[in-house]
Amino acid sequence: MASSLCLNSCAAVPGAAKQILSSLILLHKFPSSLGHKYCISKTSASLSVPITDKKEIRSTDLVALEYADLNLTDKISQELGHVRIRQHVNPLSSSFSVPAPVPNWDEVFKDPTLPLMVDIGSGKCKKHFSGSGRFLLWLAKQNPDSQNYLGLEIRAKLVKRAEFWVKELALSNVHFMFANAAVSFKQLVSTYPGPLALVSILCPDPHFKKRHHKRRVVQTPLVNSILTRLMPEGKVFIQSDVVEVAEDMRKQFDEESGVLQHIDTVDPSVLCDNEGWLLNNPMGIRTEREIHAELEGAKIYRRLYQKRKGY
């Protein structure tokens, strides 16, 4: 089961680029007052992202290195141009209240009976957001014949860009949809022919103000829909660099302990800190937001749940 979910898989960047990436990740331990800018010496000429003497390293450089295997650099610029988005969207707006149409799964995926991973909020890319679709694209490329991937994103422009990349990479096991997960998740997953194996909610919109907490994506109806459809031993992966958001998500999933158990109770070799947060990302690849946050010195709060047998 672990292999089909791509848990604990290898890093995305091989060879010299991987070594440089490992070194660069350590930069987030520097004082946060330094921001994104650091200087390093040239170490290798074989990197997909050129690094020159005393180049200022930014989080975008680290993202490019992490996802070097996808080779997506500049592919989007000529076709779609610069994609500008609003950082925060109100999912309770009437414009997002209409359920997304259910696709013809036979047209969306080469084999719609494969186990499905659903990433909620898969296109987000700015300060508080998890990625621009690369996370799912990388996973899909690693597992072309064993798993399907569905990204639900509330920002239509980001869906368009991600689908462009799907075509560029000629992947037949990943699909992105413009959808409000709170409205559309239940209907979409209930019509999918195969089993729901994994749901990820990574760095969702924080909606900091208390009166806006009702806008957060993890609410009781969505949790219930996930648990109802998730296959036995299926998994739910949540993470955020905003501790209040992570604690809110954790509270709601921890309350379902009759159906879910945290992964360290299933596999004692999984390492957690004293507060029960995972020490490592179990997916084998970090999201773009995760890279940005770690470079700034932020902690990533992660939990991975598994559905109990017999449910």
Side-chain angles (χ1 to χ4, degrees):
M1 186 65 181
S3 60
S4 66
L5 295 181
C6 197
L7 300 178
N8 298 316
S9 59
C10 61
V13 187
K18 180 178 177 181
Q19 296 175 4
I20 292 297
L21 177 59
S22 298
S23 299
L24 294 181
I25 290 171
L26 298 177
L27 290 174
H28 78 271
K29 296 182 179 179
F30 289 8
S32 57
S33 60
L34 294 178
H36 290 291
K37 300 180 180 180
Y38 304 99
C39 295
I40 66 172
S41 298
K42 184 175 180 179
T43 306
S44 172
S46 62
L47 294 174
S48 60
V49 178
I51 295 182
T52 58
D53 290 327
K54 298 189 177 183
K55 173 182 171 62
E56 291 181 340
I57 296 302
R58 303 173 184 269
S59 57
T60 51
D61 298 315
L62 299 182
V63 169
L65 284 170
E66 187 102 1
Y67 290 95
D69 279 357
L70 294 179
N71 193 28
L72 294 174
T73 307
D74 296 329
K75 282 185 177 179
I76 200 66
S77 58
Q78 295 181 355
E79 186 75 12
L80 296 179
H82 179 61
V83 179
R84 304 185 63 170
I85 63 168
R86 293 178 59 189
Q87 283 200 6
H88 294 278
V89 173
N90 179 8
L92 303 181
S93 171
S94 59
S95 61
F96 299 118
S97 63
V98 179
V102 175
N104 183 332
W105 298 112
D106 288 316
E107 295 178 356
V108 169
F109 297 119
K110 179 181 178 181
D111 181 359
T113 67
L114 293 177
L116 179 69
M117 172 184 174
V118 178
D119 183 45
I120 295 175
S122 58
K124 297 171 290 188
C125 63
K126 293 299 182 181
K127 184 176 180 181
H128 289 293
F129 309 135
S130 65
S132 60
R134 291 179 176 90
F135 173 68
L136 275 196
L137 292 171
W138 187 87
L139 291 174
K141 186 177 179 181
Q142 299 298 311
N143 304 278
D145 301 315
S146 61
Q147 184 133 355
N148 287 332
Y149 299 86
L150 177 65
L152 304 182
E153 171 55 47
I154 204 168
R155 297 164 178 83
K157 289 183 179 180
L158 296 181
V159 174
K160 185 177 181 181
R161 176 171 64 181
E163 278 297 289
F164 172 82
W165 280 336
V166 170
K167 294 178 181 178
E168 283 290 307
L169 295 172
L171 296 172
S172 60
N173 65 329
V174 58
H175 181 63
F176 294 88
M177 292 184 63
F178 168 58
N180 182 350
V183 175
S184 300
F185 178 89
K186 181 179 180 179
Q187 184 177 7
L188 289 172
V189 298
S190 65
T191 62
Y192 179 74
L196 178 63
L198 174 62
V199 176
S200 60
I201 308 172
L202 311 178
C203 300
D205 293 2
H207 297 295
F208 290 108
K209 296 180 180 178
K210 187 173 182 180
R211 69 175 186 272
H212 291 161
H213 285 186
K214 60 186 177 182
R215 298 180 181 181
R216 290 179 176 176
V217 66
V218 178
Q219 305 288 344
T220 299
L222 179 61
V223 172
N224 290 339
S225 295
I226 292 172
L227 297 186
T228 299
R229 183 59 180 167
L230 193 66
M231 64 182 287
E233 298 188 78
K235 294 180 172 63
V236 179
F237 178 42
I238 58 173
Q239 79 173 17
S240 178
D241 59 299
V242 181
V243 65
E244 295 87 351
V245 175
E247 289 176 341
D248 184 28
M249 293 192 292
R250 174 178 179 170
K251 178 177 181 294
Q252 297 189 62
F253 284 105
D254 279 359
E255 288 176 349
E256 303 296 337
S257 59
V259 181
L260 295 175
Q261 51 190 336
H262 193 255
I263 194 65
D264 65 333
T265 66
V266 181
D267 182 359
S269 68
V270 176
L271 300 179
C272 297
D273 65 16
N274 293 334
E275 297 179 340
W277 301 107
L278 290 177
L279 291 180
N280 300 303
N281 185 326
M283 300 303 296
I285 190 75
R286 298 181 299 162
T287 67
E288 293 178 49
R289 173 57 200 165
E290 195 173 347
I291 295 170
H292 291 309
E294 288 190 333
L295 185 59
E296 293 176 341
K299 177 178 178 178
I300 307 296
Y301 302 89
R302 308 180 182 94
R303 296 277 285 175
L304 178 65
Y305 300 89
Q306 180 171 298
K307 190 174 182 179
R308 296 179 184 272
K309 295 180 180 179
Y311 282 91

